[in-house]
Amino acid sequence: MRAGLAAIRRARRGGLRSRALGACCAAAGLVTVLAACGPASSATSGGSPAGAASATTVTYAMQPGGYASYPFPFMAGNSAKYDSVYNVNDFQFQLYRPLYWFGTGANPYLNAALSLAEPPVYRGRQVTIRLKRNYKWSNGEPVDAQDVVFWMNMMVAEGSNGVFWSPKGLPNDVTSVRAASKYVVTMEITTPFSESWFTNNMLSQITPMPAQWDRTASGPSDCATKVSDCVAVYNYLDSQATKKPVTSFASSPIWSVVDGPWKIQTLDSQGRLTLAYNTKYGGPVAAHHITTF
């Protein structure tokens, strides 16, 4: 585990975003789970295929000194202390899928099969992202273009408060972003960057967020379309992600809405985590497997 964290930190100093690299670093807790649950499959289309194992829950505990404690996959300000392999790779990635997934075995590059969107299309300063239509949130709503804009608006609002903010990186190198249609996002970027660099280092940071999260303690908000609403929404979601006891996460109306293959069944104060299979998951991983990094 320490080696994995060190690799991520080295990569950050070299300019590679941890979420892209993190997809390629197996955490020790998940290595044990994989051994128990069998190899990952990339041939199935989600759900329970014929002949799949009947078990649809996985229980595991983190190594000493590390545990799942922060489900919100957007880190800014004081939440930087939760940025760890335990929270990102072992926890958040299982619940919430990044827009683009990286890594297939020892190959660290874009994994189109496990990504929520088709590979981006670049035309000069315009980037077009087409989301796949088979992904849904566990409340039945589709993962769509507005969910991507929601994330981007929050990045703009948080600015330098973001854990991975840099003056020449996302979102400063994007001049506009919009939902061109239900499943298409268009971005205008400041200059025609290297396509692989922009995909690997910029787009890898984005994790679509459900409309269910667009709210404050006072009720529904509109961060998905108005940047001015986003600071209050971020503050509310951060407060929910640090809320005690952590045993409340499984029943939370916020953290129970997932688009990944797993959802929280139980989590206790000692870090013992049980994940239950998300039957609404639309990705290519069989029900009895946990996704690999």
Side-chain angles (χ1 to χ4, degrees):
M1 182 65 69
R2 290 177 182 171
L5 283 168
I8 288 175
R9 288 172 182 145
R10 285 195 300 271
R12 284 188 190 143
R13 289 195 293 270
L16 179 62
R17 174 66 166 87
S18 68
R19 287 186 179 272
L21 180 69
C24 310
C25 298
L30 283 181
V31 170
T32 302
V33 173
L34 286 166
C37 297
S41 167
S42 60
T44 59
S45 58
S48 298
S54 58
T56 56
T57 61
V58 173
T59 304
Y60 64 99
M62 305 298 183
Q63 290 187 339
Y67 51 89
S69 59
Y70 193 82
F72 186 24
F74 187 106
M75 293 186 181
N78 292 331
S79 64
K81 63 187 176 184
Y82 299 106
D83 179 36
S84 68
V85 169
Y86 307 110
N87 270 319
V88 177
N89 298 63
D90 292 5
F91 192 29
Q92 295 169 5
F93 273 178
Q94 307 309 319
L95 312 177
Y96 312 111
R97 306 306 262 174
L99 180 65
Y100 286 109
W101 189 269
F102 292 80
T104 306
N107 180 345
Y109 301 109
L110 178 66
N111 185 328
L114 289 181
S115 294
L116 299 182
E118 302 295 342
V121 175
Y122 293 84
R123 290 188 177 89
R125 293 174 50 243
Q126 186 177 79
V127 184
T128 301
I129 298 166
R130 295 183 181 276
L131 282 91
K132 299 174 183 176
R133 302 192 180 201
N134 52 301
Y135 286 96
K136 295 184 181 297
W137 297 102
S138 53
N139 62 6
E141 295 180 359
V143 179
D144 63 22
Q146 205 63 59
D147 299 335
V148 175
V149 177
F150 185 6
W151 174 277
M152 289 294 299
N153 283 352
M154 188 168 287
M155 290 191 84
V156 171
E158 288 300 314
S160 60
N161 193 41
V163 170
F164 301 102
W165 181 88
S166 69
K168 295 184 179 180
L170 211 64
N172 293 341
D173 50 10
V174 175
T175 59
S176 69
V177 58
R178 69 185 185 93
S181 66
K182 183 71 172 176
Y183 295 99
V184 177
V185 177
T186 56
M187 289 182 178
E188 293 290 333
I189 54 181
T190 55
T191 190
F193 296 105
S194 159
E195 296 178 10
S196 60
W197 179 86
F198 194 84
T199 301
N200 295 351
N201 292 278
M202 301 293 106
L203 299 183
S204 64
Q205 299 183 40
I206 300 171
T207 298
M209 300 191 297
Q212 181 81 9
W213 292 6
D214 198 350
R215 59 179 301 110
T216 68
S218 302
S221 190
D222 200 14
C223 175
T225 60
K226 292 194 301 185
V227 172
S228 58
D229 281 13
C230 292
V231 170
V233 172
Y234 169 79
N235 289 338
Y236 173 71
L237 294 174
D238 178 62
S239 72
Q240 294 301 298
T242 54
K243 187 176 181 179
K244 298 295 186 286
V246 296
T247 53
S248 67
F249 287 169
S251 59
S252 164
I254 301 295
W255 313 127
S256 60
V257 179
V258 302
D259 65 342
W262 300 91
K263 57 185 177 180
I264 305 169
Q265 181 164 301
T266 60
L267 173 64
D268 69 19
S269 60
Q270 301 302 307
R272 287 183 290 265
L273 173 65
T274 297
L275 300 175
Y277 184 67
N278 170 22
T279 57
K280 297 289 180 65
Y281 179 61
V285 179
H288 62 299
H289 297 146
I290 217 161
T291 48
T292 58
F293 298 109

